Amino acid sequence: SVSAGPSLHRDPGLFHVFAMLGQETEHDTVEKAILGEMDTLTAENVFVSELERAVSKMKAQVAFSRDGAFSVAAQLNEAIAAGDWKLYTTFLDRIASVTAEEVKNAAKRTFLTDALTVGYFVPNTAQATEPEKSIV
């Protein structure tokens, strides 16, 4: 699986991409695929249908993330951390107003190869131990 997104804070932050690999998947293969998608976003136009699908998914994600008083308070706190509590109430409208051209321009400003950091987590399976067994 792959997920991506920006840091939503008052000051500029990182755009992160996380990929969870299966045991048989090579890190280089996934890195090349992600970098290829970044290149595509900076060079080609985003299809309106893709943008509409992304907005629809975001609306569903926001709806689920606001289920319950604790979640509402947490999301409101995140809006405050981003610099304006009103972002909580205007976020979906702002997302829905994004154009394909704005996505392309943001990708050009964000996906800069000279500002890229890549890290791999490779578990050391040689040191893995069997869990202790107990008889009940």
Side-chain angles (χ1 to χ4, degrees):
S1 70
V2 177
S3 63
S7 301
L8 296 176
H9 300 291
R10 177 183 302 262
D11 297 318
L14 299 174
F15 185 91
H16 59 268
V17 179
F18 292 105
M20 302 290 290
L21 283 56
Q23 290 180 349
E24 68 286 344
T25 307
E26 295 292 327
H27 287 88
D28 287 345
T29 303
V30 175
E31 182 183 347
K32 287 176 185 171
I34 290 170
L35 293 174
E37 287 300 316
M38 290 177 169
D39 289 342
T40 299
L41 280 171
T42 59
E44 299 177 15
N45 292 325
V46 174
F47 290 111
V48 173
S49 60
E50 289 178 318
L51 185 56
E52 289 172 348
R53 190 173 77 229
V55 169
S56 179
K57 286 183 176 185
M58 181 63 73
K59 286 180 178 180
Q61 182 181 358
V62 168
F64 286 120
S65 73
R66 294 181 177 177
D67 185 24
F70 178 79
S71 297
V72 170
Q75 291 296 315
L76 184 56
N77 193 45
E78 289 297 316
I80 292 167
D84 186 359
W85 70 268
K86 292 178 275 186
L87 184 59
Y88 178 83
T89 60
T90 62
F91 183 74
L92 289 177
D93 291 335
R94 292 172 70 176
I95 290 294
S97 71
V98 171
T99 67
E101 187 66 25
E102 289 171 325
V103 171
K104 184 176 180 179
N105 290 337
K108 286 180 180 180
R109 289 189 314 272
T110 304
F111 303 144
L112 306 172
T113 55
D114 61 343
L116 179 69
T117 300
V118 177
Y120 295 166
F121 171 71
V122 182
N124 186 350
T125 55
Q127 291 182 350
T129 60
E130 288 287 321
E132 291 186 28
K133 299 177 182 176
S134 61
I135 300 175
V136 179

